[in-house]
Amino acid sequence: MSDLLQFVFSGLTVGAVYALVALGFTIIYNASDVVNFSQGEFVMLGGMSTVFLSAAGVPLPAAAILAVVITAAVGVALNKFAIEPARNASVVTIIIITIGASIFLRGVAQIVFDKQLHRFESFSGDAPIEILGATILPQSIWVIFGASVIFAALYVFFTRTLTGKAVLATANNRLAARLVGINTNFIMTLSFALSAAIGAVAGVLVTPITLTSYDIGIALALKGFAAAMLGGMGNPFGALVGGLLLGLIEALTAGYISSTYKDAAAFIVILAVLFIMPSGLFGRAAVNRV
Amino acid sequence: MTFLTRLKSTAAAVAIIGLAAQPALADIKIGASLSQTGPASFLGDPEAKTLKMLVDEINAKGGIKGEKVELVMYDDAGDANNARTFATRLVEDDEVVAIIGGTTTGTTMAMVPVAEEAEVPFISLAGAVVIIDPVKKWVFKTPHTDKMACAKIFEDLKARGLTRIGLISGTGGFEMSMREQCLKLAPEYGMEIVADESYGPKDADMTPQLTKIAGVAGLQAVVNPGFGQGPAIVTRNFRQLNIQVPLYQSHGVASKSFIELAGEAAEGVRLPAAALLVADKLPDSDPQKAVVVGYRDAYEKATGSPVSTFGGHAYDAFMILVQAIERAGSAEPVAIRDEIEKTKGYVGTGGIVNMSPEDHMGLDLSAFRMLEIRNGDWTIVE
Amino acid sequence: MRHLTPKAITLLALVALILVAPLFFPSSFYYRVGTLMFINGLAVTGLVILIGYAGQISLGHAGFCGIGAYACALAPVHLGLPPVLAMLLGAVISGALAYLVGRPILRLKGHYLAVATLGFGILIFMVLSNESWLTGGPDGMQVEDLGLRALLKSVGISVPAAELWYWLSALVLLLGAALALNLHTSSTGRALRSLHDSEIAARTVGVDVAHFKLMAFVISAVYASVSGSLLAMMNKFVSPDIAGFLHSVQLVTMTVLGGAGSVFGAITGASILTALPQGLTIFHDYEHIVLGLIMMLVMIFLREGLVPSLIKRFSRRQG
C-alpha cells in the first residue's frame, strides 16, 4: 500500500510538469492552430534564467519572477518574428519553424548560460514529509500546488473575463471572432506570452527536483506534446488529465512492471487511446477542411 | 570536352585557393571530435575546454620543438554517424597526425575503423573496455574502464562484508556498459545482484525504482552506474526514501558539481575516482600530486568552473600525445603511434600510465581511489 | 528540351550533378559527404511520397531506418545471410510492419498522426537501445563488410571505399528517384495527390483513401529501411541513434525544407542539410544558432520549400 502511494506521489510530481507543458501547447494551439515544438525551451529558459539571475545576486523570488517575464518576452518575440510572418503556411511548415526555433533557443542558451547542470534551493527545504509510509518532498507539493493554481486561474480567466472569452472565441472560429471586433493579433500575442510564462513557471518549480541544463527542452516538449494529444488537443482540461495520466503510467510501470520500458508503456497507452478515440480523451472531433 | 576542361581548371583553381588558405605546413595538426553538445555534453564540454587550454599553453611556450600545434576540433553531438563523418574529415581533409576523442563509447567505436584504415593514432576519452580489448593497433584510451570501476566498488563492498547488491543504472551507453560489466564481475567477487532497475537519461524522479529496490529483503548496498543529472536525482531520492544501506556512485559523477547538485543527500556516498578530485588531500609524497594540482588550478583559472575527471582524461590524452611526438622527434603518424605505445611511467590525472603492445590504456586498479563524500567534500577512504 | 518530360529532366539533372560533383572534390572526405547526401536523399524521396504526394506526416520514419540498419548488422551474424539479402530482409520487415501499424495509425489526422508515428518510432528506438544482448545497446555494434570491394579486387578493379560507396549509393538513389517519379505520373500517383488536396473530394470521386494512404506509408517505410541499410553497411557500424527521434525530425525537415512536393526539391533539401553542419563548423559554438535561424528563415520566406518556391519565383519573373 505504501509502495503504491509512493508511486502515485512520483507520478503526480512528474505528471504535473507534463501537464503544464501540455497546457502551454494547448493555449497556443487554440489561438493559432500552431503546435509549438519549442514549448520545452520555455521550461529551460525559466529554470536557467532563475539560476543565473540568482547567481548574479538577485534574490531567488525576484529572480524567478524576472525569469518568467523574460521567458514571456521570448514567447512574444517568437510569435512576432517567426509565427506571424508564416501565417497560413501548412502544418508541417510551421512545425519545422518551431523546431528551428527550439534549436535556435538551445543554441543561444548554451552561449548565454553554459552547458553544465544547475539547481537552486528548494522553496521549503528538503526534509521529506511522510504520509502513510510513503514520502513526498515539500518541493513536489509546490509543483502540484503550483500547477493547480495555474489551472484554477486559467479557468477563471477563460470563463469570467472578457479577454479570456475572446481567446476562446478566437479558438472556435478566427474569422467570426475578427468579425465581432476581437483583435486576433493581440490574442495570439497574449497566448504566446501566457504559454511561455506557464512553461517558465514550470521550470522554476521543478528545477530544485529535476535540475536544469540548456538541453532539457526536447525531452519535455516530446512528453508534453504526447500528453496534450492524449488528453485531446485544444482542451486545457485534457492537457491536465493527459499530463497527470502520463506521469502516473510511467511511475506505475516503473514500480510494478519494468523500469526499462516505462517510457514505452506511456507511448503504448497513447497509441491504444488514439486507436479507440482518434481525437484523444477530451478532444474535439477533428474538423476536416474541404 | 571544352566544358569539362574548363570545369577541371576551375576545380584546380578552387583547390589552389583552398590550399593557400591553409596555415603553414610546419604546424602539427591534431584533430578532435568530442560531444560538446547532446546527451554527453556534461563530459564533452570540459574535455573540449581542456584541449583548447592546453593548445594555447603549449603554443605560448613555443610549441612542440618549435613547431606550433594546431587543434582542429568538431562537435559530434554524441551521434555515432556524425563522429564517423568528422573522423573521416579529420583524416582525409584536415590531414591531422593524430585524433583525440570519442567522448562516448558509441562515438569512439564509430571512429575506430577510420583511424585503423587511415593508420592514424587515435586516443579515446570513453570508458568501455571494448575500446582496447581486444587491442587495436592504432587505438588507445586514457580513462579507467567501467570494468575497473566495478572491480573497485566490489572490492570495497567485500571489505565491508556487503554482498547483496541492488543496481540502478541509466539507459545511456556509459551506464548500460558499466551495468553489464558489474553483472559479469559480480560472481568473481561473491556479489549477488538482488535488484536491477534502470531510468531514462532525462527522468525527473526515480522513487518508484528505488522503492522497488528497497523492498528486496536483505539488501545490503545500492550501486548506481551513471553520469549527468540521473545520479544526483537518484541520490536525493535515496535519502528521501530514507534507505538505510550504503550508496555507491560510479566514476561518472566525479565532479564537484555532483556534490552541489545532490546537496546534503550526497553525504556518505562512495565512488571510485581518480586522484584529481582530491588534489589537495593527497600527501606531498604522492607522485600524482604536482600534476593534478597543476591541472586543476590551470583549468579552474581558465574556465571558472570546477574541475572534473572528464577534462582530466583529455589532459592525459593530450600530454601522452605531445610526449610521444617529442620522443619520436617527428610528426609522422606511424612514429607517434609507436611512441604512444611505449609510454612508460607517465604521471597523469588518471594515474600512472604504462602502455605496452598488449595494453593500450596502461592503468591498473591502483589508479582509482575510493572516495567518500563527507561534509560536502571528497575524502579518501583508507 | 521541349520533348523532355519533367521526370526525365529531374533524372538527367541528378545524373549530371552526381557525375560532375567529384571533379570538385579536394579530398576523399567529400565522397563521404556526397554518399551521406544520397543516403539521406533516398529516405527523403520516400517521404516525398508520404508527405508530398499523400499529405500524411510521420515523425517516426527513422524507426524504419533503424530496422534496415540492424537487419544488416544482425542477419549476417545470426542467420548467415549475405549483406545484400539482409538489406532485402530489412526492407520486407519494414514494409510488413508499416502495413500492420499503418492501418490503425493512418486513420488519425494531422497532429494526432504526428504523435502516433512519433510514439511508434520511439518504441523501435527503445527496443534497439535496451535489448543490448542482441543489439549491443546504446553503444551500437559492428556491421559485416559488404564484400563488394573484395569482389571487385578479385577481378582486378581496385576502388577506394569512399568512392565505391559514392557511386553505389548514387545508383540506388537514382533508382529510388525514378520509381518515385514514375509513381507521380501513374494513376496511383494521381490518386495520392488528389488525397493531398482534399481527402473528402478524393473519396467522392471514388478513390479508396485508406488503401492509398497505406500504400504511401509502406513504400516510404521501405525507402527509409534501404537508406538505413546502406548507412550501416557503409559505416560498418550501427548505433540506435539512427532510429532516434532526432533523425526522424531531420528527415522530415530535409523533405519540407527542400520542397515536399518535388523529388528533386527534397533531395536538394537532404543535400543541403547534410552538408550544412560541415560548413557550420566554422561558427564553432554558434552552430546551433545559425542552423535554427536558417531553418526558420527558409520556412518563413520559402514556405513551399526551397526548390518549388524558387522555381515559382523564377517563372513568375519570366512571364
Side-chain angles (χ1 to χ4, degrees):
Chain A
M1 186 55 205
S2 69
D3 281 7
L4 175 63
L5 197 60
Q6 189 66 55
F7 302 154
V8 170
F9 283 165
S10 167
L12 288 179
T13 310
V14 176
V17 184
Y18 295 165
L20 286 176
V21 181
L23 188 64
F25 272 105
T26 295
I27 291 172
I28 289 183
Y29 179 77
N30 269 344
S32 60
D33 285 340
V34 168
V35 169
N36 173 29
F37 272 94
S38 53
Q39 192 65 34
E41 311 309 323
F42 296 149
V43 182
M44 178 273 289
L45 285 176
M48 290 293 269
S49 308
T50 310
V51 167
F52 278 78
L53 285 169
S54 79
V58 183
L60 194 58
I65 292 169
L66 213 52
V68 173
V69 173
I70 292 171
T71 311
V74 171
V76 171
L78 176 69
N79 175 48
K80 183 82 200 150
F81 296 115
I83 308 296
E84 255 185 36
R87 170 144 320 155
N88 300 330
S90 71
V91 171
V92 242
T93 303
I94 294 196
I95 286 184
I96 305 292
I97 291 177
T98 62
I99 289 175
S102 100
I103 295 175
F104 175 76
L105 288 174
R106 216 175 306 138
V108 172
Q110 79 188 45
I111 306 275
V112 175
F113 307 125
D114 61 13
K115 287 182 239 168
Q116 301 298 311
L117 291 163
H118 294 281
R119 162 173 199 275
F120 44 81
E121 283 311 303
S122 308
F123 302 170
S124 329
D126 289 323
I129 299 163
E130 202 176 314
I131 303 168
L132 299 172
T135 57
I136 186 164
L137 291 173
Q139 191 66 29
S140 293
I141 297 177
W142 271 105
V143 173
I144 297 167
F145 174 74
S148 317
V149 168
I150 287 176
F151 274 96
L154 277 179
Y155 182 78
V156 173
F157 173 70
F158 282 133
T159 54
R160 300 287 153 83
T161 68
L162 202 58
T163 320
K165 287 178 182 165
V167 175
L168 287 187
T170 311
N172 273 330
N173 189 328
R174 194 164 311 142
L175 186 62
R178 209 173 296 149
L179 286 177
V180 297
I182 294 171
N183 181 349
T184 50
N185 272 337
F186 169 72
I187 298 294
M188 269 192 60
T189 308
L190 180 73
S191 304
F192 270 85
L194 205 58
S195 165
I198 290 172
V201 171
V204 170
L205 290 171
V206 298
T207 297
I209 302 179
T210 64
L211 321 182
T212 191
S213 64
Y214 77 101
D215 64 346
I216 57 160
I218 320 167
L220 280 171
L222 270 185
K223 292 286 172 63
F225 175 55
M229 305 314 290
L230 176 62
M233 200 62 177
N235 184 333
F237 179 68
L240 175 67
V241 175
L244 292 179
L245 208 57
L246 203 59
L248 285 172
I249 294 167
E250 285 182 11
L252 292 174
T253 312
Y256 287 118
I257 307 170
S258 149
S259 47
T260 317
Y261 280 104
K262 70 177 172 44
D263 289 327
F267 278 106
I268 288 172
V269 170
I270 290 171
L271 285 175
V273 167
L274 290 183
F275 290 164
I276 304 163
M277 309 164 83
S279 312
L281 291 171
F282 304 99
R284 293 170 284 173
V287 186
N288 246 317
R289 295 209 175 91
V290 181
Chain B
M1 272 329 270
T2 49
F3 173 68
L4 257 186
T5 35
R6 203 186 321 150
L7 257 182
K8 278 205 166 147
S9 54
T10 320
V14 168
I16 288 164
I17 294 166
L19 275 180
Q22 305 218 331
L25 285 169
D27 286 3
I28 298 174
K29 259 191 173 184
I30 294 174
S33 174
L34 302 170
S35 308
Q36 288 165 264
T37 57
S41 59
F42 190 70
L43 314 179
D45 188 43
E47 289 166 358
K49 284 180 178 158
T50 300
L51 288 185
K52 267 186 213 150
M53 176 186 94
L54 290 174
V55 169
D56 289 345
E57 223 169 69
I58 208 163
N59 284 336
K61 282 185 206 150
I64 304 173
K65 297 203 164 166
E67 286 183 36
K68 296 264 181 210
V69 176
E70 190 195 340
L71 177 69
V72 187
M73 186 153 62
Y74 298 119
D75 171 20
D76 58 40
D79 181 277
N81 188 44
N82 282 346
R84 173 71 173 232
T85 304
F86 283 130
T88 312
R89 182 168 174 182
L90 286 171
V91 168
E92 303 287 347
D93 205 46
D94 301 318
E95 301 184 347
V96 299
V97 295
I99 302 175
I100 294 176
T103 297
T104 68
T105 303
T107 54
T108 296
M109 294 310 279
M111 290 160 79
V112 162
V114 178
E116 289 279 300
E117 214 161 287
E119 314 209 315
V120 169
F122 172 38
I123 308 181
S124 164
L125 310 180
V129 66
V130 291
I131 297 168
I132 44 138
D133 182 22
V135 173
K136 297 161 195 72
K137 190 175 174 199
W138 296 88
V139 183
F140 304 84
K141 86 191 232 3
T142 53
H144 318 86
T145 64
D146 39 15
K147 191 176 169 188
M148 290 166 69
C150 285
K152 188 79 187 173
I153 292 173
F154 287 164
E155 251 180 21
D156 196 57
L157 283 167
K158 207 172 168 186
R160 294 168 95 179
L162 308 172
T163 56
R164 291 173 59 82
I165 311 303
L167 270 182
I168 175 163
S169 8
T171 50
F174 174 89
E175 298 96 317
M176 294 230 337
S177 168
M178 176 162 169
R179 169 184 164 272
E180 213 166 286
Q181 295 300 329
C182 286
L183 289 176
K184 245 189 241 167
L185 269 184
E188 237 174 82
Y189 286 83
M191 296 288 148
E192 193 185 342
I193 306 295
V194 293
D196 182 14
E197 297 292 329
S198 67
Y199 57 84
K202 294 281 171 203
D203 280 5
D205 185 280
M206 285 64 149
T207 52
Q209 291 93 321
L210 287 169
T211 303
K212 219 169 144 185
I213 294 177
V216 175
L219 179 81
Q220 288 177 322
V222 174
V223 179
N224 176 201
F227 72 81
Q229 70 206 61
I233 296 174
V234 166
T235 307
R236 299 181 78 90
N237 288 162
F238 196 80
R239 297 297 173 232
Q240 176 194 340
L241 295 173
N242 199 20
I243 303 174
Q244 292 295 347
V245 299
L247 174 63
Y248 282 77
Q249 289 292 346
S250 73
H251 54 316
V253 304
S255 145
K256 190 89 185 207
S257 68
F258 170 72
I259 302 183
E260 278 162 27
L261 295 170
E264 272 172 35
E267 287 299 304
V269 168
R270 285 192 179 189
L271 72 149
L276 180 59
L277 287 189
V278 283
D280 283 334
K281 297 185 183 63
L282 293 176
D284 287 336
S285 59
D286 195 298
Q288 275 183 274
K289 175 118 185 176
V291 174
V292 292
V293 170
Y295 167 62
R296 187 201 59 186
D297 292 348
Y299 182 85
E300 293 185 350
K301 194 174 149 225
T303 65
S305 36
V307 75
S308 70
T309 52
F310 320 120
H313 302 325
Y315 175 90
D316 289 347
F318 188 79
M319 285 308 177
I320 288 174
L321 184 60
V322 167
Q323 291 181 6
I325 296 174
E326 277 171 356
R327 283 198 306 270
S330 110
E332 280 305 306
V334 189
I336 299 176
R337 189 218 83 92
D338 291 347
E339 284 303 326
I340 294 177
E341 196 171 69
K342 283 183 206 147
T343 299
K344 287 272 182 287
Y346 162 74
V347 183
T349 67
I352 295 167
V353 179
N354 291 303
M355 299 219 192
S356 71
E358 294 77 42
D359 183 358
H360 277 192
M361 174 179 65
L363 291 168
D364 57 29
L365 263 192
S366 69
F368 260 144
R369 323 279 163 126
M370 184 52 73
L371 306 184
E372 187 175 304
I373 297 165
R374 282 184 213 144
N375 303 321
D377 201 0
W378 315 105
T379 48
I380 304 172
V381 177
E382 298 307 331
Chain C
M1 292 286 261
R2 197 167 300 147
H3 42 272
L4 282 178
T5 59
K7 179 180 117 186
I9 294 175
T10 303
L11 285 177
L12 280 176
L14 276 177
V15 169
L17 286 174
I18 289 166
L19 288 177
V20 167
L23 296 174
F24 294 93
F25 290 172
S27 80
S28 74
F29 158 69
Y30 291 81
Y31 280 101
R32 177 174 168 90
V33 177
T35 312
L36 288 174
M37 287 176 178
F38 301 154
I39 290 177
N40 285 329
L42 184 69
V44 160
T45 304
L47 282 179
V48 167
I49 297 171
L50 185 70
I51 301 176
Y53 296 1
Q56 308 299 309
I57 191 176
S58 168
L59 293 182
H61 253 56
F64 296 116
C65 296
I67 291 176
Y70 275 87
C72 284
L74 294 171
V77 183
H78 295 278
L79 306 175
L81 286 182
V84 177
L85 285 183
M87 181 163 99
L88 285 179
L89 179 70
V92 169
I93 296 175
S94 293
L97 197 63
Y99 184 80
L100 282 177
V101 296
R103 251 180 209 287
I105 275 188
L106 290 165
R107 285 194 304 135
L108 302 170
K109 298 204 166 50
H111 300 116
Y112 292 98
L113 179 63
V115 83
T117 48
L118 167 78
F120 172 73
I122 286 181
L123 289 179
I124 296 179
F125 170 79
M126 290 196 76
V127 170
L128 294 178
S129 183
N130 288 335
E131 299 306 313
S132 48
W133 57 274
L134 185 68
T135 63
D139 285 338
M141 65 183 291
Q142 305 290 328
V143 177
E144 227 171 73
D145 192 73
L146 180 60
L148 195 59
R149 260 178 93 202
L151 190 77
L152 286 175
K153 209 165 217 170
S154 69
V155 293
I157 308 169
S158 169
V159 199
E163 288 176 38
L164 178 72
W165 277 105
Y166 179 87
W167 299 115
L168 195 65
S169 59
L171 205 65
V172 180
L173 174 68
L174 283 174
L175 202 68
L179 285 175
L181 288 165
N182 267 333
L183 190 69
H184 189 77
T185 45
S186 70
S187 60
T188 313
R190 278 198 299 277
L192 283 172
R193 278 174 286 140
S194 73
L195 228 160
H196 184 204
D197 297 335
S198 164
E199 220 172 274
I200 296 172
R203 196 172 290 134
T204 45
V205 297
V207 173
D208 183 350
V209 171
H211 171 77
F212 282 110
K213 275 201 225 170
L214 185 61
M215 213 167 90
F217 193 65
V218 170
I219 296 173
S220 62
V222 170
Y223 272 80
S225 178
V226 172
S227 109
S229 295
L230 289 175
L231 190 63
M233 288 191 293
M234 174 180 68
N235 282 345
K236 287 192 265 178
F237 177 83
V238 62
S239 76
D241 298 333
I242 194 176
F245 169 67
L246 289 180
H247 190 208
S248 287
V249 170
Q250 230 171 23
L251 292 177
V252 174
T253 308
M254 287 170 175
T255 316
V256 178
L257 196 85
S262 121
V263 170
F264 190 75
I267 293 175
T268 309
S271 306
I272 290 174
L273 278 184
T274 306
L276 198 57
Q278 298 299 328
L280 292 184
T281 53
I282 51 165
F283 293 105
H284 297 290
D285 291 342
Y286 300 92
E287 271 175 52
H288 291 97
I289 296 185
V290 180
L291 178 66
L293 265 182
I294 292 177
M295 277 169 69
M296 286 195 280
L297 291 177
V298 171
M299 288 330 312
I300 291 170
F301 295 109
L302 307 167
R303 50 181 76 160
E304 280 164 66
L306 268 173
V307 172
S309 301
L310 290 178
I311 288 176
K312 205 181 260 178
R313 262 178 212 204
F314 184 65
S315 53
R316 209 184 292 145
R317 206 160 293 161
Q318 293 253 304

